[in-house]
Amino acid sequence: MKASNFIEKIESFGQKKWILWGVWSIYTLMIIALCSIHEPWGDEHNVWSMVYRLSFPELWNAMRGEGHFCLWHLCVWPWVNIIGMDYHALYVASSILMSCAVWLLLFKLEFSFVGKLFIIFSSPFFYYFPVVARCYALIPLILIAIAIVYQKQKNPFLYCFLIGLLAHTHAYMEGMVGILWCLFAYYNVYIPYKEGETKRATKNAWASLITIVLVLLAFLQIMGGIVDAAEGTSVAMNRINHPTDWLLYVYKKHHIQIFTTLHQHISHLIPKIDLPITLFLYITIIVLLYKLWRTSENKSECIWITSVSIVWQIIFAINIYCMWFQRVYLLYLPILYILWIAYCNNKDIRAYTTYIVICFWLLNTPAQYDILQDVVEVYSYDVSAANKIESTMIQKERPVITYDTNCSSLLQTVTNPISEIETLNHILLKNYTDYRDFYMITSKKIDSIDLDAYHFEKLYSTIEGTNSFSDNGDGRKEVYLYSISKK
């Protein structure tokens, strides 16, 4: 049976509603299972800690240092502050967002069923966005909704609202936000106005203002961080990609490594042909994208969206903040979007879009090793460290402070995280003179510190940080629990 005939059979099979519900259920149950196994690392549970400890105004102000937007924090907020959940609130939020995204993809988006399957079970949709729970979980749902509204061509206000909402997901997506808005303004405001359709142009112009307002709202949240970056005081400016490093990292996360693995673990007779296969897949994607653009009715939009969105991400990576870890998968999303808006019943286009998605799925196979390791090994030691420290504290009513803002933020009992800018002696005498007995968690050994007013007793030490396979750069460190009493 030819591959095309086999795909056609699967396509017809995918028209049945019970099949769609089955795929959605399997996906949702699998990401819930993976989330229940995964241990959050620092950048994940830091959001829980902020939502748990900060008010809305404090959250808004904290975005200056975060460089992110409040939208992800607001998705976590009700589960923490209304339901009273611990860090698992992160996974409730990410699972719901990604499950809704997949539901829309399956039931509402016009696209190849085979293509949908390869998107749903690709590494970003299946693991890096729902399981490693961060703000990236927002993007697929919003982007799929934008594509659905685009396909229907009926609601400019909703379309512009969703584009503006995309600006609140991640700075890497701002290039795509900008080009989507420009194309909307050109095709739906400028062209109708030029052709004498004043009423339609005016309506769409009002709709476009929604995007502008939402983008300004996003900008206000990180404006202080932009000022810090301009003055050279932002942490982001110290974490940029050299172009060579960027290319190597993109290749590391988007390549074939099947035959190398088989060569190492099965038989040395199996040839290492992963590199030529990888290059073939890249060439295939480029050729198919070119054919898609040539065949598509909206080729200029596809070219503009792809080029501006990806170039923006590259410029951001090598000048402002590196394309690392989950961000490397954001390159995939503009291409997915143009496949969705270019898709139609033309058999050639259907074939091109399906094969492009399959090629990307193959290139993302290195992530399967990450998923397997996350299942069988500890991803991050922060949860176990927090549990051990909590169980070691005998007097639960005593205050707990941390002499390190990145230390043990998973502990709900930590009320006053303090930085290491000032000396410990100065901090204690300045801020904690009313405390006679309290606990301190720190990543520094303070046994030898001689403070006349306080007595230190080390109760416990353990390990925080992530496992080496996680590739997120947050290495393991030892943390200590001290009992501190006034003499």
Side-chain angles (χ1 to χ4, degrees), residues 45-264:
H45 61 68
N46 180 55
V47 171
W48 172 85
S49 180
M50 292 173 69
V51 170
Y52 178 71
R53 292 179 171 88
L54 302 180
S55 64
F56 278 118
E58 289 171 331
L59 267 179
W60 178 279
N61 293 329
M63 295 305 106
R64 175 171 186 157
E66 283 290 291
H68 290 297
F69 308 100
C70 270
L71 183 58
W72 170 237
H73 298 73
L74 295 179
C75 290
V76 177
W77 189 91
W79 307 103
V80 176
N81 291 287
I82 298 176
I83 307 299
M85 293 185 68
D86 60 7
Y87 68 87
H88 289 93
L90 298 165
Y91 303 110
V92 173
S94 66
S95 297
I96 289 174
L97 287 167
M98 289 303 299
S99 181
C100 289
V102 167
W103 188 90
L104 284 179
L105 180 69
L106 286 168
F107 288 91
K108 299 298 180 180
L109 187 73
E110 293 182 20
F111 197 66
S112 156
F113 177 67
V114 174
K116 289 178 180 180
L117 291 178
F118 278 95
I119 292 169
I120 290 167
F121 295 103
S122 65
S123 57
F125 277 68
F126 187 64
Y127 178 70
Y128 282 110
F129 294 165
V131 179
V132 186
R134 298 175 69 197
C135 58
Y136 308 98
L138 294 162
I139 302 174
L141 176 61
I142 297 172
L143 207 58
I144 291 168
I146 293 172
I148 292 168
V149 178
Y150 178 94
Q151 288 179 347
K152 295 184 181 301
Q153 294 287 320
K154 288 181 179 180
N155 196 328
F157 288 92
L158 178 58
Y159 183 73
C160 290
F161 171 78
L162 291 169
I163 294 175
L165 201 61
L166 187 63
H168 289 255
T169 58
H170 197 279
Y172 266 54
M173 301 306 295
E174 305 301 347
M176 189 169 187
V177 170
I179 191 59
L180 288 176
W181 182 85
C182 288
L183 290 170
F184 176 84
Y186 178 77
Y187 286 109
N188 297 281
V189 179
Y190 174 73
I191 295 297
Y193 179 79
K194 189 177 178 181
E195 294 177 350
E197 297 181 63
T198 310
K199 186 175 180 180
R200 181 185 168 212
T202 303
K203 176 185 176 182
N204 291 332
W206 281 110
S208 69
L209 289 177
I210 297 175
T211 302
I212 295 174
V213 170
L214 287 172
V215 169
L216 288 174
L217 188 62
F219 174 76
L220 287 173
Q221 294 177 55
I222 61 168
M223 182 172 59
I226 295 172
V227 173
D228 294 340
E231 295 175 350
T233 58
S234 170
V235 66
M237 304 306 293
N238 300 321
R239 298 181 180 177
I240 58 176
N241 286 129
H242 185 276
T244 304
D245 296 334
W246 173 79
L247 284 170
L248 289 174
Y249 192 73
V250 171
Y251 175 79
K252 177 183 176 181
K253 293 297 183 180
H254 299 85
H255 74 279
I256 294 291
Q257 64 181 62
I258 298 170
F259 289 94
T260 301
T261 303
L262 293 174
H263 177 88
Q264 292 173 346

